[in-house]
Amino acid sequence: MKELSKYWPSDKNRRDVIKQDAEAADPNVILAVHQSTPLTFKHTNGTKEKREESELLNEFLKKDLPEEVLLLPITGASGVGKSHMIRWLDAQLERDERAKNIQVIRIPKSA
């Protein structure tokens, strides 16, 4: 085992490569590692429905008038992937031609 230890990365090397925080990951990495996730949409009237993440993306893309505003909070328990989902959505909007006239304002969790 001592033989292999000289090839093992240091703690600093591991931290440089493996980002623990979704905010720090490159958008291409977010897209590469993304796994489809079932979502629950809760409407303002209190009703809930199961939806696909593609429907979350389409919620942003169905608004085509500049004066329309969509406020869509993503909530959930700690560690469920909210930051990842927001980064995935942002990466999708960046590369989707339908989003070229949409202004996205992301509020970082540190704000």
Side-chain angles (χ1 to χ4, degrees):
M1 189 64 159
K2 273 191 163 190
E3 225 24 67
L4 292 176
S5 64
K6 65 182 176 181
Y7 300 106
W8 202 254
S10 68
D11 285 342
K12 181 191 179 317
N13 293 138
R14 285 192 298 276
R15 283 191 303 275
D16 288 345
V17 173
I18 301 171
K19 305 295 184 192
Q20 296 296 318
D21 185 1
E23 291 290 325
D26 183 274
N28 292 318
V29 172
I30 295 289
L31 292 173
V33 301
H34 182 73
Q35 298 285 315
S36 184
T37 305
L39 303 173
T40 301
F41 278 41
K42 183 177 179 182
H43 300 279
T44 54
N45 65 8
T47 62
K48 295 179 182 179
E49 64 179 304
K50 299 288 185 195
R51 306 272 293 268
E52 299 294 323
E53 60 193 19
S54 60
E55 294 175 277
L56 174 64
L57 177 61
N58 288 333
E59 286 294 318
F60 282 89
L61 295 173
K62 75 179 181 183
K63 305 285 185 188
D64 58 359
L65 298 175
E67 60 273 359
E68 290 195 47
V69 174
L70 174 65
L71 179 62
L72 204 144
I74 296 179
T75 63
S78 178
V80 297
K82 297 177 300 289
S83 294
H84 174 84
M85 184 59 66
I86 291 167
R87 291 292 313 278
W88 173 84
L89 181 60
D90 189 49
Q92 292 291 346
L93 291 170
E94 282 288 320
R95 64 190 214 143
D96 195 308
E97 183 64 26
R98 298 174 293 169
K100 69 178 181 221
N101 294 322
I102 295 175
Q103 180 180 9
V104 176
I105 301 170
R106 280 183 43 223
I107 302 169
K109 62 182 171 183
S110 61

